[in-house]
Amino acid sequence: MSTYPDIETLHKHLAQCRRCAEAGFRIESTPVVSGKQSARLMVIGQAPGIDAFAPNPRPFGGDSGARLFRWMARVGWSEEEFREKFYITAVTKCFPGSDPKSNGDRVPTVTERRLCRPWLDAELALIQPEVILPVGRLAINLFYPPKLKLIEVIGDHKVDEQGRIIVPLPHPSGASRWFNEPRNVARLELALYRLKLLKEQLDL
Ligand code: SF4
């Protein structure tokens, strides 16, 4: 049961969230999510990227998003249609900054994930998606045991205890390295095939 009457009210409160900064994290408090309450499919990513600073930030608005939307185009949705129809959010909603030890973005800490979790729970309660695409390890861990390897969950799909169909996908920003292995590529192909079938069966 969400404590917010509708998604617009949730978004207004979310925009003012400073939980991580108040807990001492050097984070840019700019939550980035998109979509309507009527969305039947929800994407859950890890956290927004540097593109969160664009004039009108959108989830998956950067390079990794370009790759994700190439995958969705193969399923049968243009980026425009996908963004219009579906809800896109993340495990943590604000850009966590760059990781000084790598070329990528910092992975949100366990504490940040815990601080942000009530927002995701409220989004799920309001939207009640039929299909959820957890994208990347952090989001997949919400639905699958963390001890499972990525290759063991990509290409799988399941109905969870709330009747939602879960179709995990690898994070597109990590895809290049992951896809050096042909068997990983085959798992993604299977995931996209399952998604295409669901699109047709559920008329998504
Ligand atoms: S990441 Fe989540 S909990 Fe942290 S400040 Fe942003 S919206 Fe709030």
Side-chain angles (χ1 to χ4, degrees):
M1 180 78 182
S2 174
T3 50
Y4 302 96
D6 52 52
I7 203 74
E8 290 78 17
T9 308
L10 182 150
H11 286 168
K12 278 185 198 149
H13 284 82
L14 176 63
Q16 295 162 14
C17 182
R18 301 291 179 271
R19 285 175 199 162
C20 291
E22 286 165 9
F25 292 98
R26 295 182 65 186
I27 192 170
E28 194 64 33
S29 300
T30 312
V32 182
V33 300
S34 71
K36 301 179 192 141
Q37 190 163 330
S38 57
R40 296 173 60 202
L41 179 151
M42 179 189 280
V43 175
I44 305 176
Q46 175 171 291
I50 187 75
D51 38 293
F53 297 117
N56 296 303
R58 300 189 297 176
F60 288 103
D63 292 344
S64 62
R67 193 177 284 129
L68 176 70
F69 289 114
R70 281 200 295 277
W71 295 346
M72 294 305 107
R74 290 182 48 205
V75 174
W77 293 298
S78 68
E79 176 176 348
E80 188 183 14
E81 181 187 8
F82 194 90
R83 288 190 183 279
E84 169 63 26
K85 281 174 126 172
F86 303 136
Y87 194 87
I88 310 179
T89 186
V91 172
T92 59
K93 324 280 185 212
C94 299
F95 175 54
S98 302
D99 182 351
K101 295 186 199 141
S102 76
N103 291 328
D105 298 340
R106 182 175 66 80
V107 177
T109 64
V110 172
T111 303
E112 289 166 289
R113 287 178 245 161
R114 181 174 49 75
L115 289 169
C116 210
R117 182 59 194 258
W119 291 119
L120 181 59
D121 289 339
E123 289 169 305
L124 286 164
L126 280 169
I127 293 165
Q128 300 192 18
E130 294 166 53
V131 178
I132 297 176
L133 309 185
V135 176
R137 189 81 250 185
L138 290 193
I140 290 170
N141 287 355
L142 301 175
F143 302 97
Y144 284 84
K147 65 179 184 203
L148 291 180
K149 293 181 181 155
L150 210 48
I151 194 168
E152 295 176 282
V153 290
I154 303 301
D156 183 47
H157 75 296
K158 69 175 185 181
V159 178
D160 75 357
E161 60 283 355
Q162 296 181 54
R164 305 173 300 200
I165 301 169
I166 314 295
V167 184
L169 293 173
H171 199 286
S173 70
S176 302
R177 230 172 336 124
W178 197 74
F179 283 121
N180 288 339
E181 286 277 342
R183 62 188 187 136
N184 293 347
V185 178
R187 298 303 294 182
L188 175 67
E189 294 298 322
L190 185 55
L192 297 183
Y193 174 70
R194 291 197 193 288
L195 205 44
K196 197 175 174 79
L197 288 182
L198 277 175
K199 180 181 186 297
E200 286 163 12
Q201 286 164 1
L202 300 179
D203 193 22
L204 289 169

